[in-house]
Amino acid sequence: MKWIGALLLISTTTWAGLEWSKKLDKRPKHIRQLINALQILEAEILYSQLPLKDAFKLMARQLPAPVCSFFNRLAMQLSKIDAELEVAWEDSVKELMLISSLGENDKEILLQFGRTLGQHDFTQQQKQIHLTITHLERELEDARDNQFKYSKMVKTLGFLAGLFIIILLF
Amino acid sequence: MITDASILFQIAGIGIIVALIHTILKQMGKEEIAQFATLVGFIIVLVMVINGLSDLFQQIKSVFLFQG
């Protein structure tokens, strides 16, 4: 009985450590996807001049998993009759935070970008997109730094913490 | 005469694991947290040792003062 409990405890803490390190590993990937999405959006706005709703639909088809459902949701909300872009954007960003590994900073950047979307002419909009991409690139560097530094450490620490607690309770 | 040596092994195990945690945290550049972890391990061991010592003093008292 004692051994089963010990095994359960150690597997729990190890799993928690693995989950944490997975989150650290995925954040740069998700930020890169966002940057990609913004570049596509820029192209759609400047060259094909699609309305935002159709642009979002198109992007959802081109992008991989978490960001894809973000734009899908956005397109769906915008196709309602009394849809407002800012509200829909904020709502979708909240949803995106739940399913992706993005951090608080990324959320702020996205929200700020959402407030500028659809308010300006082409050149201003392009500038806003570039600004957001620059911000995201800075976050990307940060996220990559954290990944290098902590993702291995968190894994080992989870296991060691489990071992520590078991010895304490033994 | 030591009847139960398990507490010794327990303390040794805590020492080893705390040392490992300290090394890993230090390698990753988190010196403060490493120091803190070591301090916590030390306090835990201290509490265990003090428990043992208080048992010892109770024994001595009961031997020399003829009361529990």
Side-chain angles (χ1 to χ4, degrees):
Chain A
M1 210 49 210
K2 221 172 171 180
W3 288 106
I4 296 172
L7 222 67
L8 275 178
L9 229 142
I10 213 166
S11 53
T12 313
T13 52
T14 310
W15 176 67
L18 282 182
E19 201 65 18
W20 195 351
S21 87
K22 216 201 279 168
K23 195 169 174 172
L24 281 174
D25 282 342
K26 273 194 178 159
R27 188 164 164 236
K29 204 169 138 199
H30 288 169
I31 293 177
R32 218 171 296 130
Q33 281 175 14
L34 272 182
I35 291 175
N36 242 339
L38 285 177
Q39 279 160 349
I40 296 174
L41 183 66
E42 184 188 354
E44 294 301 336
I45 287 177
L46 286 185
Y47 302 117
S48 26
Q49 303 189 356
L50 284 174
L52 277 175
K53 188 177 73 179
D54 300 332
F56 288 151
K57 252 183 214 158
L58 213 101
M59 288 157 76
R61 245 178 280 143
Q62 291 178 26
L63 290 161
V67 181
C68 153
S69 64
F70 169 66
F71 286 110
N72 247 335
R73 191 183 164 83
L74 211 51
M76 227 163 62
Q77 285 197 352
L78 283 184
S79 53
K80 285 180 200 155
I81 305 166
D82 54 350
E84 240 182 280
L85 177 63
E86 207 178 317
V87 180
W89 183 273
E90 267 175 32
D91 191 63
S92 304
V93 167
K94 259 183 217 152
E95 193 72 21
L96 179 68
M97 297 316 286
L98 290 181
I99 55 172
S100 72
S101 309
L102 296 169
E104 274 301 306
N105 284 348
D106 315 332
K107 183 182 173 188
E108 262 324 296
I109 291 171
L110 274 182
L111 285 179
Q112 259 184 36
F113 175 67
R115 262 172 241 135
T116 66
L117 199 55
Q119 310 273 346
H120 306 288
D121 59 10
F122 282 152
T123 44
Q124 292 292 328
Q125 189 64 67
Q126 193 184 15
K127 271 182 202 163
Q128 291 290 350
I129 289 175
H130 280 231
L131 178 70
T132 310
I133 288 178
T134 321
H135 279 315
L136 280 177
E137 254 155 19
R138 205 191 53 230
E139 288 300 318
L140 177 65
E141 220 161 276
D142 207 40
R144 230 189 251 144
D145 256 19
N146 276 342
Q147 182 198 3
F148 271 134
K149 255 195 201 158
Y150 301 129
S151 97
K152 243 188 188 161
M153 175 193 86
V154 164
K155 261 186 236 165
T156 341
L157 269 190
F159 179 70
L160 284 180
L163 221 58
F164 184 73
I165 293 171
I166 284 171
I167 288 181
L168 267 189
L169 297 179
F170 218 73
Chain B
M1 188 177 77
I2 299 170
T3 50
D4 188 18
S6 77
I7 192 168
L8 292 182
F9 288 115
Q10 203 174 3
I11 288 175
I14 290 174
I16 290 170
I17 287 179
V18 166
L20 277 177
I21 290 176
H22 182 92
T23 319
I24 288 169
L25 283 171
K26 205 173 175 183
Q27 246 176 23
M28 300 300 163
K30 291 248 164 193
E31 302 261 342
E32 326 87 66
I33 300 178
Q35 302 290 351
F36 186 71
T38 315
L39 186 69
V40 168
F42 177 72
I43 288 170
I44 288 170
V45 171
L46 197 68
V47 167
M48 287 163 72
V49 170
I50 282 176
N51 263 329
L53 275 183
S54 89
D55 275 1
L56 175 70
F57 282 133
Q58 287 300 327
Q59 294 269 346
I60 292 172
K61 247 167 107 182
S62 69
V63 167
F64 290 106
L65 303 174
F66 304 110
Q67 56 194 221

